[in-house]
Amino acid sequence: MTEKPKLHYLNARGRMESTRWLLAAAGVEVGPELRHLKWNLLPDGSLLFQQVPIVEIDGMKLVQTRAILNYIASKYNLYGKDIKERALIDMYTEGIVDLTEMVFLLITCQPEERDAKTALVKEKIQNRYFPAFEKVSETVHALTLKAFYENRLGEAIVSLTPKL
Ligand SMILES: N[C@@H](CCC(=O)N[C@@H](CS)C(=O)NCC(=O)O)C(=O)O
């Protein structure tokens, strides 16, 4: 029996959330998630860059969110049927990554800058990212329908869902 993937992260959605959704979409059962407060205490060699998320899967300890998502999406046939579909999925997911990073930066910014930066992020989300996602939503919708008929789902759709 193959072992269930083991997820290590903080007690938050954060950078693990897309992986949780992707595994759920792939119908993969995961072991209990390990929520670390001090992940630098994990055994030597677990952390390539002293960062979480980590996903233990198929005998590997994967780090770097995009590497984790790409592995899971490829393994479960959720990463497009050809390089054109894959390029579209990459475009959408890179946009989501940019948006997510902008939001993460708010956590560490100086308290006196927070209101102005939050307003700027909101403005970009509304005027740059949501219109782009809406514009591609027809393509995504078409791909989703096609994917359902072909029994596949796109990584992008899975990544997008928790953000919308
Ligand atoms: N590029 C990495 C970034 C990972 C990352 O920054 N993780 C944070 C937690 S969300 C972390 O471990 N920070 C501690 C540090 O960088 O020292 C990824 O996408 O997985």
Side-chain angles (χ1 to χ4, degrees):
M1 199 181 78
T2 48
E3 271 194 37
K4 293 177 186 171
K6 206 188 276 177
L7 277 48
H8 301 259
Y9 195 58
L10 326 169
N11 193 17
R13 294 182 186 186
R15 287 189 165 89
M16 189 61 104
E17 190 66 354
S18 298
T19 298
R20 297 185 188 105
W21 278 80
L22 191 56
L23 286 165
V28 178
E29 247 190 89
V30 294
E33 188 167 331
L34 296 133
R35 308 282 184 144
H36 299 278
L37 286 177
K38 295 203 168 154
W39 51 93
N40 53 349
L41 298 181
L42 277 160
D44 269 0
S46 302
L47 295 160
L48 190 59
F49 300 111
Q50 289 85 49
Q51 292 175 322
V52 286
I54 307 180
V55 174
E56 294 187 50
I57 185 167
D58 297 338
M60 298 180 291
K61 289 186 168 127
L62 294 181
V63 294
Q64 291 295 354
T65 310
R66 273 173 268 183
I68 294 167
L69 290 171
N70 289 346
Y71 180 79
I72 296 166
S74 302
K75 176 172 170 147
Y76 295 101
N77 199 21
L78 301 172
Y79 201 2
K81 70 165 182 354
D82 56 31
I83 57 170
K84 286 190 176 176
E85 270 192 25
R86 188 165 292 202
L88 281 176
I89 290 167
D90 287 341
M91 274 169 35
Y92 305 149
T93 48
E94 288 302 317
I96 295 158
V97 170
D98 287 352
L99 184 160
T100 310
E101 292 298 328
M102 269 185 350
V103 174
F104 281 158
L105 284 176
L106 293 175
I107 299 167
T108 52
C109 77
Q110 297 298 318
E112 63 274 15
E113 294 179 329
R114 189 155 298 145
D115 284 351
K117 288 198 170 166
T118 303
L120 190 64
V121 167
K122 278 188 182 164
E123 190 274 325
K124 279 190 181 166
I125 288 175
Q126 273 169 4
N127 298 322
R128 181 187 295 186
Y129 290 95
F130 281 177
F133 294 145
E134 272 166 22
K135 208 157 58 182
V136 297
S137 73
E138 278 178 28
T139 318
V140 172
H141 186 62
L143 279 177
T144 315
L145 283 178
K146 199 162 166 284
F148 271 124
Y149 284 121
E150 292 170 6
N151 201 22
R152 291 180 298 106
L153 259 178
E155 177 188 350
I157 297 151
V158 174
S159 296
L160 259 175
T161 317
K163 307 281 182 300
L164 299 178

